[in-house]
Amino acid sequence: MDVFPDFDGLAGIGELSEAIGAVLMFVLIIAVLMLIVSGIAWAIGAATGNYQAASKGRTGVLVSLGAAILAGGAVAWMNWLIGIGQQL
């Protein structure tokens, strides 16, 4: 039995794929900008002895890294699931 997902069976799947790609690009760009700003805030807070600002900067760095990992990993995970589904 050869069962696999038919992505061409849905109307507008090409436009949906382009829209998801565009949203993913914006998420990754915002995550990188957030990483830069949070890293600067962390460095300035640590250098001036403002531990609250350093803590907020560190939290921002971790959140931006998590968002970038989730956004990038979602594509790889979906491709892996599709590959597994084709083998069943």
Side-chain angles (χ1 to χ4, degrees), residues 4-49:
F4 60 93
D6 183 17
F7 293 113
D8 295 327
L10 295 172
I13 194 73
E15 290 83 13
L16 180 63
S17 176
E18 289 179 22
I20 290 173
V23 169
L24 180 63
M25 179 193 67
F26 283 118
V27 167
L28 291 176
I29 288 172
I30 290 171
V32 168
L33 291 176
M34 184 178 165
L35 178 68
I36 292 169
V37 170
S38 297
I40 291 171
W42 185 5
I44 291 173
T48 60

Side-chain angles (χ1 to χ4, degrees), residues 43-54:
I44 291 173
T48 60
N50 188 347
Y51 298 110
Q52 185 176 6

Side-chain angles (χ1 to χ4, degrees), residues 2 47 53 70 85:
D2 190 21
L70 286 176

Side-chain angles (χ1 to χ4, degrees), residues 3-5 7 76-88:
V3 178
F4 60 93
F7 293 113
W77 184 53
M78 189 58 64
N79 288 334
W80 179 75
L81 287 176
I82 290 172
I84 293 294
Q86 290 176 353
Q87 293 176 2
L88 295 177

